[in-house]
Amino acid sequence: MRPDPVVPASLSLKPALDAIGKAVDQRFDKLLAVPADSRARLYEAMRHAVIGGGKRMRPLLVVAACDLFHVDRERALRVALAIECIHVYSLIHDDLPCMDDDDLRRGKPTVHIAFDEATAVLAGDCLHDIAFEILADPATHEDPFARLELITELAVQSGPAGMAGGQMMDLVAGDVIYDIAGITRLQQLKTGALIQWCLEAGAIMGRASDAHRKSLRAYARDLGLAFQIADDLLDVEGTSAKTGKAVQKDAAAGKATFVSLLGIERARAQAHALIDQAIGHLVAFGPEADLLRAIARFAVERDR
């Protein structure tokens, strides 16, 4: 078994994030070309949501996982585009007045503010559909069984047993008293499920062994929780100018979070412990997993 290479906490992910952001934007620009008919407003709303913003952490996770198994980069980027479609659809709907009622996302007006509520609903719906259209295309993988597994896993991780289930738990969080186990379960679904899919997708694309898939699932589980704790800390300590979205909303809504239950310092220590654990799960991989190790460090050191 190879020793786990040490990744300095100071290792910058900016070049990788910039590169994946540019690649994703270029593909969305082509995919969502505005038609010369009455659907134009819908396409403009989707473009507003997906182009030119966000950390692009999930697409980068997909590419990093695919790189472990030498998956063709263009195919990996197709899978990365699919997860970004699902992530952004969830943000559009999450920002609606019937849910979190937010005016700001990724440093610009939310879709229902820039356009209108009905257009925002349709934009989210369409991005959801486009994700599965991308995965079903033979250009993503020549093996129909691999494509089916990608689709099935994404349906599970984005549905009631995954992200949407976590969102429901979050919607009632102001009326339900969650302890640390309850908050952990909520965030494993709401945030962690899509992160898990990113790693699972790389393993599916690369026909990984069961042992490698188990390691990547464990990495994703710990990374997802650490990522959410970092988000909770940013909601308390961050600013809208930095994060690109409203802050201090959880406390105002009376929702329990990792920070409200553990306190700032214990929550921060827990996030770092989870990241150390996540990196430890990559011990079977060599330098080819350095990007995943750096992403893990970035998850708890970011300011947005």
Side-chain angles (χ1 to χ4, degrees):
M1 188 175 287
R2 300 186 186 97
D4 190 14
V6 175
V7 177
S10 60
L11 181 64
S12 174
L13 268 191
K14 190 175 186 308
L17 288 168
D18 287 349
I20 198 71
K22 183 178 179 181
V24 166
D25 281 352
Q26 286 174 342
R27 283 156 181 78
F28 274 132
D29 184 51
K30 182 178 179 181
L31 181 66
L32 300 175
V34 180
D37 57 34
S38 53
R39 297 173 298 155
R41 183 174 178 82
L42 174 59
Y43 277 79
E44 287 164 357
M46 288 190 284
R47 291 173 65 87
H48 175 86
V50 299
I51 295 176
K55 293 178 285 293
R56 307 301 196 191
M57 176 99 139
R58 289 158 190 83
L60 186 58
L61 276 170
V62 167
V63 169
C66 284
D67 281 354
L68 294 178
F69 308 107
H70 311 291
V71 175
D72 175 76
R73 177 54 59 89
E74 193 57 41
R75 291 185 172 195
L77 284 169
R78 288 181 61 82
V79 180
L81 210 64
I83 193 60
E84 190 68 359
C85 283
I86 292 290
H87 177 53
V88 176
Y89 120 74
S90 76
L91 299 181
I92 294 172
H93 285 189
D94 201 42
D95 290 336
L96 289 168
C98 62
M99 292 187 71
D100 275 2
D101 194 15
D102 275 315
D103 295 343
L104 188 69
R105 174 68 68 178
R106 294 180 166 180
K108 54 188 178 183
T110 49
V111 177
H112 70 274
I113 294 295
F115 295 85
D116 56 76
E117 287 184 43
T119 302
V121 170
L122 289 175
D125 290 347
C126 289
L127 288 171
H128 177 276
D129 298 336
I130 288 169
F132 292 100
E133 183 181 349
I134 291 169
L135 296 179
D137 194 314
T140 299
H141 202 291
E142 74 281 0
D143 183 352
F145 291 101
R147 300 198 303 273
L148 179 60
E149 191 173 2
L150 288 170
I151 290 166
T152 303
E153 286 294 324
L154 185 54
V156 171
Q157 300 298 348
S158 62
M163 178 189 68
Q167 287 176 312
M168 187 70 244
M169 291 178 70
D170 191 42
L171 277 176
V172 301
D175 303 317
V176 176
I177 299 174
Y178 287 123
D179 58 11
I180 195 67
I183 287 297
T184 298
R185 177 61 175 157
L186 187 163
Q187 299 301 352
Q188 283 175 330
L189 298 179
K190 185 182 177 185
T191 301
L194 290 192
I195 288 176
Q196 180 175 321
W197 186 86
C198 293
L199 280 298
E200 195 73 37
I204 293 167
M205 291 290 287
R207 306 178 194 271
S209 68
D210 288 343
H212 281 157
R213 290 178 78 152
K214 183 178 179 181
S215 296
L216 291 175
R217 287 189 196 109
Y219 166 90
R221 181 191 62 236
D222 291 336
L223 174 65
L225 283 177
F227 187 87
Q228 184 57 50
I229 294 173
D231 260 7
D232 289 351
L233 287 165
L234 286 172
D235 187 62
V236 173
E237 301 178 314
T239 65
S240 294
K242 279 280 189 182
T243 64
K245 60 182 179 180
V247 295
Q248 300 182 353
K249 290 199 67 177
D250 290 332
K255 293 181 180 181
T257 66
F258 286 111
V259 173
S260 69
L261 293 173
L262 297 176
I264 289 176
E265 293 311 315
R266 281 184 64 201
R268 183 174 286 113
Q270 182 64 28
H272 282 278
L274 283 164
I275 288 305
D276 289 341
Q277 217 168 258
I279 291 173
H281 293 308
L282 301 175
V283 68
F285 298 99
E288 69 273 15
D290 279 352
L291 182 54
L292 286 176
R293 297 181 180 100
I295 291 170
R297 293 295 183 201
F298 169 79
V300 294
E301 293 164 0
R302 61 197 167 91
D303 60 5
R304 63 189 180 96

